[in-house]
C-alpha cells in the first residue's frame, strides 16, 4: 500500500472511544465474542474450584507446573534460519551469546516441501524463508560448534520431518551424543499443513503413518524428545479465530493420540512427550483464556477419553509465537509494542517457550538488530515486570474465567461438528476447517476495510513512512548450495545410495517403522529430495481443492 | 447497479512457487468475486508456466500473483517474460505480498502494473483492477 493512502473509514471527529464503522459501538473480542460491561461472581458458573483448580494440578487450567516461572523460566527460543547453513549457524551463535536459551530452526520452502536445492521447483526459493538443508553434511554444518547434548533444538519441519530428525540424530552421533540425550522438538504436525500451512509431500494417510512412526521411534529411543508439536500457530495465521485455533489444534492432537494408541502404544508412554504450539495474537484477554482453556480440555480428554493415568500425560505444555500476521509493514516500530503485549499474554497464559517476532518481519526476514530487540522484549518481561512472581496471576478474575469457559464451550461445539463429519482426517478431506478459516479471514478483512477493527498505522493514524534497514538474502547463495549438493553427490558411495533407497521403498510398502531405513539412507548422504521422491513412488502426492 | 460493463472482468489469482501462505490470495479472490469479477484461483505451488498457461486458456484480463516467500524477483520476471514470449500484451499483471520497497520499482519496470503490500484494503485492489481493465478497453 502506498503511504498515506486514504483510510478505509476515516473517523471524522476523534473521540477517545474507539468507534465502530457503522455507528453503533460494539464491545467484543477479536473473534466476535461479546464482552459485557462488567463481570462478577455470577459469571463463574459450575464447580469453580474444580475447574479452575491449582497450578500444577489437574485440570491444569492455572498452569502445567506448581511453581511455574518461579521454578523455571520459559525457554527463549527465537526462530532463525536463512541463507546458507553457515549464515544460520552464525545467527544461532549470536542468539546464544545474547542469552537465548534454546534454538529454533527455520528451513526454507524447498526443504519443507521435500525438494532438493537443485530441483527446478526450488529455483528462487533456496535459503529465502529459512535455511536450505539437503544432506546430513548440511545438517552437521548447521549445528557446528553447538553441543547437542546441552542445547535443546526446535525444528520447524513437517512433511519430511522423519528425514530431518534422522539427520539430527546422526549429527548427535557424530558429536558423540546418543539419541536418548537429545532434547528438543520437531514440529511434525502434518494435519495443520493440510488445514493451513500447505507444505505437504504425501497424501494424508501415509503422512499420518510417518507421524506415528516418529512417535513410536522417539518413545523407544529418544525419551527427552518431543516428536510432535501440535501447532495452532499456522492455523491462526491463516485466519482462524482464537476459538478455531484452539479447537482445530486440540482435535489434531487427539487424532495423533488415537493413531499412536491404534499402533499399540500405551498412552502414558508417549502423551507426556506431545507438546503444543500456539499463536499469541493481539486480543490480550482472549489469548490468555485460550491457553487456559486448552490446558483444561487436553487434561480432561486425555484422562476421560484416552485413559491416561499419569498427570504428565494430561499436562499440556506449549511454545508460543507472537502473531506474525498482526505485524504491519506501515510504521514497523509499532510492531515492537504489539509483540511485547502478545508476548505478555503468552507469559500470563503460562507458556513454556516463547518466540517474539522482530519488528521488521512484515517486510523481510529480521536483521540482527531487530531480532535482538525481540529477544530483549522477552528478557524485559521476564526480569523487569514481576509478572513471573506468581503462577497464573489472572486466575480467578471473573472476566478471564468467563472467557476461558466461553472458549472451551466453543471448542466443544467444533469438536462435535468435526465428529459428525467423521473425524479430523475426514473433515480435512471435506475442506471443513479450511473453509471455516477462509471465512474468518475474510470476515476479519471486512472489519478492517470497514474500520470496525482498528489497526494503528494501517487503517487509522497513518503517517509518513520511514525506511527501516532490511535483511537482504544474496541470490548467489542458491548457486553455492546447488554446487555443494553436486559435490556431495559426487563423492558418496552410489551403490550404497541405491541400495538404501531400494530398502526405503521396500519398507514403505510394508508396515515397518520407516525411521530405521531413513536413518540408514541419511548416513549414506541420501538427500531429502531423493528420499521424498522414493516415498512418493509408493505413497503418491497430494493436491488440494482450494476453497475461498 | 452499473450497466456499463458488458464484459465480466476475468482475473487469475495465482500462488507461484512453494509458498503456502494463501490467506491473502484467497481474501483477494473472494473480494474480486464479490465485486462481480470472474475469478480463477490456481491453487498453490504453481510454476510461472502453469500460471501463464491458465491466463491464456481462461482469456484473463488480469493476473494477481501473491508471493510471501521472497522469491518474487525470480518468479515475477519469469511470468512477465513468458507473457511476452507468448505475445500476450493485454493482461494486467499485479503482485501482492511481502515485497520490500526497493523491489517495487524493479517489478514495475518488468511490466507489473500494481504492487500491493500488506495492509492494502481490498477495495483499493478491486478498484485498481477495474479501472485499469476498463481504461484498456476504451
Amino acid at each position: 500500500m502506498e503511504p498515506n493512502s486514504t483510510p478505509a473509514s476515516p473517523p471524522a471527529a476523534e473521540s477517545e472511544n474507539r468507534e465502530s464503522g457503522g455507528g453503533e459501538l460494539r464491545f467484543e473480542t477479536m473473534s466476535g465474542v461479546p464482552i459485557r460491561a462488567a463481570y462478577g461472581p455470577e459469571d463463574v458458573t459450575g464447580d469453580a474450584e474444580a475447574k479452575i483448580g491449582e497450578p500444577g494440578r489437574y485440570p491444569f487450567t492455572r498452569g502445567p507446573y506448581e511453581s511455574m516461572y518461579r521454578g523455571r523460566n520459559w525457554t527463549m527460543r527465537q526462530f532463525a534460519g536463512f541463507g546458507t547453513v553457515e549464515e544460520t549457524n552464525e545467527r544461532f551463535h549470536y542468539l546464544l551469546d545474547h542469552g537465548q536459551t534454546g534454538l529454533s530452526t527455520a528451513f526454507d520452502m524447498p526443504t519443507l516441501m521435500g525438494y532438493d536445492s537443485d530441483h527446478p521447483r526450488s529455483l528462487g526459493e533456496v535459503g529465502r524463508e529459512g535455511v536450505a538443508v539437503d544432506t546430513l553434511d548440511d545438517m552437521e554444518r548447521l549445528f557446528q560448534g553447538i553441543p547437542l547434548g546441552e542445547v535443546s533444538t526446535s525444528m520447524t519441519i513437517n512433511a519430511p520431518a522423519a528425514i530431518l530428525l534422522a539427520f539430527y540424530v546422526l549429527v548427535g552421533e557424530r558429536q558423540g551424543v546418543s539419541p536418548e540425550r537429545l532434547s528438543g522438538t520437531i514440529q511434525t504436525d502434518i494435519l495443520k499443513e493440510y488445514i493451513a500451512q500447505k507444505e505437504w509431500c504425501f497424501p494424508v494417510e501415509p503422512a499420518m503413518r510417518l507421524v506415528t512412526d516418529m512417535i513410536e521411534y522417539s518413545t523407544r529411543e529418544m525419551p527427552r524428545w518431543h516428536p510432535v508439536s501440535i501447532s495452532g500457530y499456522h492455523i491462526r495465521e491463516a485466519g482462524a479465530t482464537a476459538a478455531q485455533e484452539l479447537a482445530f489444534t486440540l482435535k489434531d492432537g487427539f487424532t495423533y493420540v488415537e493413531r499412536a494408541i491404534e499402533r499399540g502404544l500405551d498412552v502414558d508412554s508417549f502423551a507426556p512427550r506431545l507438546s503444543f504450539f500456539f499463536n499469541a495474537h493481539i486480543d490480550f484477554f482472549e489469548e490468555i483464556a485460550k491457553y487456559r482453556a486448552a490446558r483444561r480440555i487436553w487434561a480432561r480428554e486425555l484422562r476421560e477419553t484416552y485413559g491416561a493415568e499419569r498427570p504428565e500425560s494430561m499436562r499440556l505444555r506449549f511454545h508460543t509465537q507472537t502473531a506474525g500476521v498482526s505485524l504491519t509493514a506501515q510504521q514497523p516500530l509499532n510492531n515492537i509494542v504489539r509483540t511485547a503485549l502478545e508476548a505478555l499474554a503468552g507469559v500470563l497464559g503460562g507458556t513454556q517457550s516463547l518466540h517474539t517476532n522482530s519488528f521488521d518481519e512484515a517486510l523481510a526476514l529480521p536483521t540482527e538488530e531487530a531480532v535482538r530487540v525481540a529477544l530483549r522484549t522477552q528478557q524485559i518481561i521476564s526480569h523487569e515486570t514481576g509478572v513471573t512472581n506468581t503462577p497464573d496471576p489472572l486466575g480467578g478474575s471473573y472476566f478471564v474465567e468467563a472467557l476461558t469457559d466461553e472458549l472451551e464451550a466453543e471448542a466443544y461445539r467444533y469438536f462435535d461438528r468435526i465428529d459428525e463429519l467423521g473425524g479430523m482426517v475426514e473433515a480435512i478431506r471435506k475442506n471443513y476447517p479450511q473453509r471455516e478459516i477462509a471465512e474468518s479471514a475474510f470476515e476479519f478483512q471486512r472489519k478492517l476495510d470497514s474500520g470496525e477493527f482498528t489497526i494503528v498505522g494501517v487503517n487509522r493514524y497513518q503517517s509518513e513512512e520511514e525506511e527501516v534497514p532490511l535483511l537482504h538474502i544474496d541470490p548467489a547463495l542458491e548457486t553455492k548450495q546447488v554446487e555443494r549438493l553436486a559435490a556431495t553427490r559426487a563423492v558418496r558411495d552410489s551403490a550404497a545410495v541405491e541400495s538404501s533407497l531400494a530398502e526405503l521403498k521396500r519398507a514403505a510398502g510394508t508396515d515397518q517403522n520407516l525411521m530405521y531405513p531413513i536413518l540408514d539412507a541419511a548416513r549414506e548422504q541420501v538427500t531429502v529430495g531423493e528420499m521424498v521422491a522414493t516415498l512418493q513412488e509408493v505413497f503418491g502426492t497430494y493436491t488440494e481443492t482450494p476453497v475461498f | 447497479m452499473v450497466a456499463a460493463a458488458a464484459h465480466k472482468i476475468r482475473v487469475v489469482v495465482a500462488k507461484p512457487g512453494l509458498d503456502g501462505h494463501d490467506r491473502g490470495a484467497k481474501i483477494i479472490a473472494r473480494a474480486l468475486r464479490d465485486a462481480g469479477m470472474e475469478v480463477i484461483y490456481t491453487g498453490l505451488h504453481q510454476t510461472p508456466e502453469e500460471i501463464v498457461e491458465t491466463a491464456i486458456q481462461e482469456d484473463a484480463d488480469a493476473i494477481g500473483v501473491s508471493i510471501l516467500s521472497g522469491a518474487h524477483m525470480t518468479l515475477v520476471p519469469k511470468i512477465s517474460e513468458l507473457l511476452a514470449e507468448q505475445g500476450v500484451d493485454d493482461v494486467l499483471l499485479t503482485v501482492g505480498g511481502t515485497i520490500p520497497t526497493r523491489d517495487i520499482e524493479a517489478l514495475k519496470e518488468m511490466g507489473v502494473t500494481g504492487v500491493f503490500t500488506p495492509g492494502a484494503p481490498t477495495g483499493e485492489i478491486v478498484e485498481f483492477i477495474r479501472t485499469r481493465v476498463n481504461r484498456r478497453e476504451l
Side-chain angles (χ1 to χ4, degrees):
Chain A
M1 187 171 76
E2 284 155 31
N4 289 323
S5 64
T6 317
S9 163
E14 293 282 342
S15 82
E16 285 310 298
N17 283 331
R18 120 192 124 142
E19 299 96 48
S20 66
E24 198 192 333
L25 208 53
R26 280 201 304 204
F27 294 95
E28 56 181 34
T29 65
M30 200 174 172
S31 333
V33 176
I35 304 294
R36 294 189 285 285
Y39 287 77
E42 68 281 5
D43 292 305
V44 186
T45 53
D47 185 349
E49 208 173 316
K51 70 181 184 183
I52 301 171
E54 293 167 36
R57 304 281 289 274
Y58 185 89
F60 302 101
T61 312
R62 303 200 62 196
Y65 303 112
E66 194 185 323
S67 65
M68 288 301 289
Y69 308 127
R70 291 173 71 101
R72 190 185 166 191
N73 211 347
W74 68 84
T75 305
M76 298 185 188
R77 200 189 286 284
Q78 296 292 101
F79 192 40
F82 60 97
T84 60
V85 288
E86 284 83 6
E87 280 171 288
T88 301
N89 179 266
E90 206 178 294
R91 180 66 67 89
F92 282 171
H93 282 285
Y94 176 86
L95 288 164
L96 291 170
D97 291 345
H98 280 80
Q100 172 166 296
T101 49
L103 294 175
S104 178
T105 319
F107 295 101
D108 69 357
M109 288 289 171
T111 309
L112 294 178
M113 290 288 292
Y115 293 120
D116 287 335
S117 296
D118 60 355
H119 191 282
R121 286 201 175 247
S122 304
L123 188 68
E125 312 261 13
V126 176
R128 286 271 159 196
E129 268 198 295
V131 61
V133 170
D134 293 311
T135 62
L136 172 58
D137 277 356
D138 287 341
M139 196 74 152
E140 186 175 37
R141 277 187 284 259
L142 182 61
F143 291 101
Q144 198 83 52
I146 293 166
L148 299 195
E150 290 162 35
V151 170
S152 87
T153 301
S154 166
M155 287 183 278
T156 299
I157 187 88
N158 296 280
I163 299 167
L164 276 294
L165 178 62
F167 287 174
Y168 194 77
V169 166
L170 296 174
V171 172
E173 191 178 276
R174 286 178 175 186
Q175 285 191 4
V177 180
S178 59
E180 69 262 26
R181 283 176 53 213
L182 293 173
S183 73
T185 306
I186 189 158
Q187 202 165 75
T188 321
D189 176 5
I190 201 65
L191 291 174
K192 69 98 178 39
E193 292 295 326
Y194 301 106
I195 295 172
Q197 177 82 347
K198 316 292 176 84
E199 309 294 347
W200 46 62
C201 295
F202 314 110
V204 186
E205 276 306 331
M208 287 298 284
R209 176 249 178 117
L210 273 169
V211 176
T212 316
D213 284 351
M214 290 176 68
I215 295 175
E216 187 178 42
Y217 172 83
S218 40
T219 301
R220 277 190 209 146
E221 321 263 356
M222 305 178 79
R224 301 175 62 198
W225 193 260
H226 297 100
V228 189
S229 167
I230 306 148
S231 307
Y233 182 80
H234 318 84
I235 290 176
R236 189 63 177 283
E237 291 285 297
T241 63
Q244 287 168 346
E245 178 192 356
L246 176 67
F248 297 153
T249 310
L250 290 174
K251 199 67 181 165
D252 287 348
F254 300 143
T255 309
Y256 298 125
V257 169
E258 286 161 17
R259 292 302 173 103
I261 291 173
E262 281 164 25
R263 179 68 66 93
L265 296 174
D266 170 22
V267 65
D268 282 316
S269 73
F270 67 84
R273 304 313 296 168
L274 298 177
S275 65
F276 282 80
F277 173 21
F278 289 114
N279 198 296
H281 220 301
I282 197 73
D283 188 328
F284 194 68
F285 288 105
E286 185 169 55
E287 293 303 284
I288 294 167
K290 177 184 76 184
Y291 309 125
R292 300 175 86 254
R295 277 193 295 266
R296 187 152 79 208
I297 297 169
W298 185 253
R300 179 188 307 119
E301 293 301 318
L302 263 287
R303 188 168 84 171
E304 309 293 328
T305 307
Y306 301 108
E309 287 172 4
R310 293 172 62 193
E312 292 86 341
S313 305
M314 305 168 201
R315 188 168 69 183
L316 181 150
R317 291 156 311 125
F318 67 104
H319 170 69
T320 303
Q321 183 175 341
T322 58
V325 78
S326 74
L327 303 180
T328 63
Q330 297 78 6
Q331 304 174 30
L333 294 179
N334 294 345
N335 294 326
I336 298 173
V337 181
R338 293 189 178 99
T339 297
L341 291 168
E342 292 167 355
L344 183 60
V347 171
L348 294 177
T351 195
Q352 277 57 66
S353 158
L354 181 61
H355 166 102
T356 35
N357 288 325
S358 303
F359 65 82
D360 54 358
E361 286 187 85
L363 300 159
L365 287 184
T367 61
E368 265 186 14
E369 189 204 13
V371 81
R372 188 176 64 235
V373 172
L375 176 61
R376 295 287 181 255
T377 304
Q378 296 201 36
Q379 291 161 339
I380 290 167
I381 293 172
S382 168
H383 301 296
E384 297 185 23
T385 64
V387 298
T388 54
N389 287 339
T390 187
D392 190 32
L394 294 177
S397 147
Y398 301 129
F399 177 47
V400 169
E401 297 300 348
L403 213 46
T404 304
D405 290 353
E406 180 73 42
L407 281 159
E408 182 179 3
E410 185 61 16
Y412 275 93
R413 286 191 281 273
Y414 273 110
F415 295 163
D416 289 345
R417 270 172 255 168
I418 294 163
D419 289 340
E420 280 164 26
L421 291 170
M424 203 45 160
V425 170
E426 267 312 299
I428 289 169
R429 281 212 188 96
K430 290 170 182 157
N431 270 327
Y432 171 71
Q434 296 94 311
R435 201 181 298 274
E436 287 290 300
I437 293 167
E439 200 61 46
S440 300
F442 190 73
E443 173 61 13
F444 184 72
Q445 183 66 39
R446 190 195 62 71
K447 285 183 182 172
L448 212 56
D449 287 348
S450 71
E452 280 170 66
F453 193 93
T454 296
I455 296 187
V456 171
V458 174
N459 65 353
R460 285 184 71 180
Y461 313 112
Q462 293 99 329
S463 57
E464 200 67 50
E465 292 300 310
E466 276 171 40
E467 293 257 340
V468 295
L470 298 180
L471 183 80
H472 180 64
I473 308 281
D474 183 1
L477 76 90
E478 183 159 317
T479 322
K480 189 177 162 194
Q481 180 63 20
V482 168
E483 285 167 3
R484 182 146 70 191
L485 177 58
T488 306
R489 282 211 180 99
V491 297
R492 30 177 219 187
D493 177 347
S494 55
V497 167
E498 289 309 315
S499 71
S500 66
L501 281 173
E503 174 55 21
L504 179 61
K505 188 172 173 181
R506 189 204 60 76
T510 69
D511 57 6
Q512 237 174 286
N513 189 313
L514 291 176
M515 271 311 293
Y516 300 95
I518 288 172
L519 279 159
D520 291 340
R523 226 183 281 273
E524 301 301 338
Q525 301 287 357
V526 176
T527 66
V528 174
E530 290 161 344
M531 283 195 241
V532 167
T534 299
L535 290 171
Q536 281 171 337
E537 287 171 26
V538 181
F539 295 157
T541 55
Y542 181 80
T543 314
E544 80 162 356
T545 315
V547 285
F548 64 89
Chain B
M1 286 285 118
V2 186
H7 159 101
K8 220 174 182 189
I9 297 172
R10 293 170 71 80
V11 187
V12 168
V13 174
K15 282 289 298 174
L18 304 178
D19 161 28
H21 297 101
D22 58 358
R23 174 181 182 153
K26 287 157 93 173
I27 286 175
I28 298 302
R30 171 123 175 232
L32 296 174
R33 190 180 67 194
D34 288 359
M37 299 183 196
E38 201 88 61
V39 177
I40 302 98
Y41 174 49
T42 62
L44 293 163
H45 310 142
Q46 298 288 296
T47 61
E49 289 80 3
E50 287 164 341
I51 293 166
V52 170
E53 179 66 26
T54 305
I56 293 170
Q57 296 234 331
E58 298 285 346
D59 195 18
D61 298 296
I63 303 174
V65 172
S66 167
I67 308 180
L68 284 83
S69 68
H72 51 272
M73 296 307 282
T74 307
L75 295 168
V76 175
K78 191 93 188 123
I79 294 171
S80 200
E81 281 162 28
L82 286 165
L83 286 170
E85 267 172 37
Q86 306 273 333
V88 183
D89 56 5
D90 59 348
V91 178
L92 288 186
L93 182 58
T94 60
V95 178
T98 312
I99 316 286
T101 319
R102 63 187 232 160
D103 293 342
I104 293 178
E105 274 316 303
L107 288 172
K108 287 188 174 164
E109 277 162 29
M110 289 167 199
V112 174
T113 53
V115 178
F116 299 92
T117 54
T122 56
E124 190 181 298
I125 298 168
V126 167
E127 274 319 298
F128 182 90
I129 291 178
R130 203 195 320 261
T131 52
R132 295 300 170 112
V133 169
N134 288 342
R135 189 190 304 158
R136 195 200 60 202
E137 283 178 347
L138 286 175

